[in-house]
């Protein structure tokens, strides 16, 4: 089993090709052809904190009670990783935001958890390049094993910062 949960924080479905969006997204569309595409998926909060806690615990905000950035996820809740280690499945999370990080309790149950870059890197124009390089490196190094890889990408979040001249 090789599973990837790739969250593009704040990316609207109407901007993704496989959802009949207005933008061309050929790589996401190709993944959608081979993966699972949810036509009716709804965020459980209007921002990252409650939404991420719901994805990681499978519970609603009324249960996990994460409503703002300063709140941590309680380790007593179920996790997306539950039972996978006992089944021999390696689990990892690569995140580009302090909102989804070890200090906030999101590392609970993962074999590996990595915050890519500094705490504000999620709003940096180069974050996706840094993240994707790390994702490819991680997948290549685990190609012969079963895994669950969760990726939390802030590259589609605002405010967008125009890259400077290189």
């Amino acid at each position: 089993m090789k599973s990837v949960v790739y969250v593009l924080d704040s990316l609207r479905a109407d901007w993704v090709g496989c959802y009949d969006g207005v933008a061309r997204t050929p790589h996401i569309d190709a993944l959608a052809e081979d993966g699972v595409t949810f036509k009716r998926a709804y965020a459980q909060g209007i921002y990252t904190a409650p939404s991420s806690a719901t994805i990681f615990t499978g519970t609603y905000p009324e249960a996990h009670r994460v409503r703002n950035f300063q709140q941590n996820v309680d380790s007593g809740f179920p996790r997306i990783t539950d039972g996978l280690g006992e089944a021999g499945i390696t689990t990892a999370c690569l995140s580009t935001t302090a909102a989804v990080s070890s200090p906030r309790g999101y590392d609970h149950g993962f074999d590996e958890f990595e915050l890519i870059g500094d705490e504000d890197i999620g709003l940096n124009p180069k974050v996706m390049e840094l993240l994707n390089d790390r994702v490819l490196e991680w997948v290549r190094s685990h190609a012969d094993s079963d895994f669950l890889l969760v990726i939390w990408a802030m590259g589609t979040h605002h405010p967008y910062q125009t890259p400077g001249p290189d």
Side-chain angles (χ1 to χ4, degrees), residues 93-103 112-122 127 131 134 152 154:
C93 180
L94 305 174
S95 174
T96 62
T97 178
V100 178
S101 63
S102 295
E112 301 174 46
F113 194 101
E114 186 176 338
L115 181 62
I116 307 297
D118 299 325
E119 287 192 13
D120 67 342
I121 194 82
V127 70
L131 176 62
R134 181 65 183 110
W152 201 279
M154 295 295 283

Side-chain angles (χ1 to χ4, degrees), residues 67-143:
R67 290 185 171 76
N68 63 54
F69 179 81
Q70 291 76 23
Q71 292 175 297
N72 298 344
V73 180
D74 186 323
S75 62
F77 283 96
R79 295 302 173 110
I80 193 172
T81 55
D82 285 355
L84 298 181
E86 293 83 12
I89 298 169
T90 300
T91 58
C93 180
L94 305 174
S95 174
T96 62
T97 178
V100 178
S101 63
S102 295
R104 299 275 182 250
Y106 287 90
D107 60 339
H108 182 80
F110 283 97
D111 297 315
E112 301 174 46
F113 194 101
E114 186 176 338
L115 181 62
I116 307 297
D118 299 325
E119 287 192 13
D120 67 342
I121 194 82
L123 302 178
N124 183 307
K126 295 189 182 284
V127 70
M128 295 306 287
E129 182 180 339
L130 295 170
L131 176 62
N132 289 333
D133 287 348
R134 181 65 183 110
V135 167
L136 291 173
E137 176 187 327
W138 194 93
V139 169
R140 285 183 186 122
S141 70
H142 292 82

